[in-house]
Amino acid sequence: MKRKQILVTGGSGFIGSHLCNRLIDDDYDVICIDNFYTGSKENIRHLIGHPNFELIRHDITLPIFLEVDAIFNLACPASPVHYQNNPIHTTKTCVSGSINMLGMAKRQGVPILQASTSEIYGNPLEHPQTEEYWGNVNCIGPRSCYDEGKRCAETLFFDYNKQVGVDIKVVRIFNTYGPNMLPDDGRVVSNFIVQALNNKDITIYGDGNQTRSFCYVSDLIEGLIKMMATPREVTGPINLGNPKEFTMNELADIIIELTGSKSQKIIKPLPQDDPTQRKPNISKAKSILDWYPKIQLRDGLKKTIEYFRSIV
Ligand code: UDP
């Protein structure tokens, strides 16, 4: 039997590269598309030359025609520094990129999974966030290109489903961390670990009492695979994230302890529109996908610290 061809857009990025590994391990043929704006060849170097792996340098804002059996649409810079660097292109990636990928799914009648985000909830007034919550989003702020881009992508996914019957799967990914994150992408986990390993000051933005909940990447990948395997009626949106919530001060303390660092915490200004709290309600993921995160923060951080030690 012919191996199934799975397309992963953004396949050389942090999450995409872990997904490519997992799909190759599961004996699929993987086509990875990336424009390498934030994706890194290092993340997939070990797959280049593998008989089941194909790499295409391409920007999904432009049309592309491929024969595939399923699509994971992960392409988009996800860290605030990167998505704010070229905000017009961020919105284009979310909107035009989704239209191109949805067109491919429609032409071939194949399922397509959208990597949406907890950012669609903005600075949430409901806590924890359920999928029913509509969000609290500034449409003209520095985060808007990503937040509104991803919101519009969800709208497109659901309209392609309702209007032309595309088999869609929308997951809302909450903060995720692990090996293959970029050391300089400005995310809190990578920043704190790199700072701690170099015994540099740990930059706490604001008072450090804002919260996030952190999901280790292998848990997230399991959720993506389970979602893609659901029957057609399951469209989502479904939250995927770890409901255990930490303040940025707590995160910094744990990282200082695990690295044995001499770093001190220092206060820096809080970026505009920085959400004060974020924590997923994952009842749907539990009941529909039988999914919940298994890796504890300390265990995931240890693996992530090992990775950064090897590259920094
Ligand atoms: N943050 C911080 N120090 C840093 C980087 C980030 O205190 O060096 C804070 C940031 O203000 C936010 C949280 O950590 O409240 C998570 O930031 P990140 O950029 O990782 O993700 P997002 O804001 O998109 O959840």
Side-chain angles (χ1 to χ4, degrees):
M1 224 173 68
K2 195 168 167 278
R3 244 188 231 98
K4 287 222 159 115
Q5 310 254 2
I6 315 292
L7 174 61
V8 181
T9 76
S12 75
F14 160 47
I15 295 174
S17 58
H18 286 276
L19 181 60
C20 289
N21 285 337
R22 167 67 186 263
L23 292 168
I24 294 274
D25 286 348
D26 290 353
D27 207 28
Y28 291 106
D29 264 351
V30 173
I31 303 175
C32 161
I33 291 184
D34 212 297
N35 65 357
F36 294 107
Y37 174 55
T38 53
S40 152
K41 254 190 211 155
E42 286 316 310
N43 289 343
I44 48 154
R45 195 173 289 287
H46 59 287
L47 294 176
I48 295 172
H50 190 291
N52 301 356
F53 183 77
E54 230 173 300
L55 171 64
I56 302 173
R57 179 188 280 265
H58 176 79
D59 187 319
I60 60 157
T61 60
L62 303 168
I64 183 165
F65 294 85
L66 296 167
E67 301 289 314
V68 294
D69 297 296
I71 304 168
F72 286 90
N73 189 35
L74 270 56
C76 191
S79 118
V81 264
H82 288 136
Y83 70 63
Q84 290 172 21
N85 187 45
N86 188 344
I88 297 172
H89 199 260
T90 299
T91 304
K92 273 191 191 167
T93 305
C94 294
V95 177
S96 309
S98 290
I99 291 171
N100 287 330
M101 291 305 118
L102 282 160
M104 189 187 288
K106 176 184 146 196
R107 275 193 304 279
Q108 298 177 90
V110 300
I112 177 165
L113 179 145
Q114 168 66 355
S116 190
T117 166
S118 55
E119 286 287 320
I120 67 108
Y121 299 120
N123 192 356
L125 304 176
E126 181 181 303
H127 194 73
Q129 293 81 53
T130 63
E131 290 84 350
E132 283 70 38
Y133 179 51
W134 287 0
N136 175 37
V137 178
N138 177 0
C139 71
I140 52 168
R143 296 174 89 104
S144 308
C145 56
Y146 187 72
D147 298 10
E148 296 290 13
K150 288 283 189 179
R151 285 170 72 90
C152 184
E154 284 203 18
T155 307
L156 283 163
F157 269 72
F158 279 88
D159 285 338
Y160 269 76
N161 173 260
K162 287 180 257 185
Q163 198 178 325
V164 287
V166 172
D167 182 0
I168 62 155
K169 315 277 172 207
V170 175
V171 292
R172 293 180 178 158
I173 300 174
F174 284 65
N175 296 64
T176 302
Y177 70 102
N180 294 4
M181 292 181 94
L182 291 173
D184 60 352
D185 80 350
R187 308 306 293 253
V188 70
V189 172
S190 46
N191 268 12
F192 286 3
I193 293 179
V194 172
Q195 290 162 349
L197 289 176
N198 292 318
N199 293 311
K200 296 255 171 69
D201 291 338
I202 304 269
T203 53
I204 305 274
Y205 299 164
D207 61 9
N209 290 326
Q210 70 271 39
T211 67
R212 294 292 187 275
S213 44
F214 299 100
C215 184
Y216 189 66
V217 64
S218 61
D219 279 331
L220 180 81
I221 297 298
E222 188 60 29
L224 299 181
I225 299 281
K226 285 194 162 186
M227 183 66 175
M228 187 56 107
T230 54
R232 219 187 151 79
E233 318 74 86
V234 180
T235 57
I238 293 188
N239 289 338
L240 291 181
N242 193 322
K244 193 132 187 4
E245 196 180 2
F246 294 87
T247 67
M248 295 312 102
N249 278 318
E250 287 169 331
L251 179 71
D253 293 340
I254 298 171
I255 290 175
I256 290 172
E257 181 204 316
L258 292 178
T259 50
S261 172
K262 296 188 182 63
S263 297
Q264 303 291 322
K265 295 192 279 184
I266 57 157
I267 306 265
K268 292 265 183 176
L270 188 68
Q272 191 194 328
D273 294 343
D274 195 272
T276 47
Q277 51 182 7
R278 193 186 286 144
K279 164 182 161 144
N281 175 316
I282 58 163
S283 313
K284 280 213 167 111
K286 277 187 178 153
S287 63
I288 298 171
L289 306 178
D290 187 28
W291 177 89
Y292 58 93
K294 300 198 170 81
I295 310 278
Q296 301 298 319
L297 182 66
R298 280 172 175 273
D299 297 331
L301 284 176
K302 281 183 200 158
K303 291 178 206 254
T304 313
I305 289 166
E306 239 171 77
Y307 168 76
F308 279 112
R309 253 193 232 284
S310 73
I311 63 157
V312 172

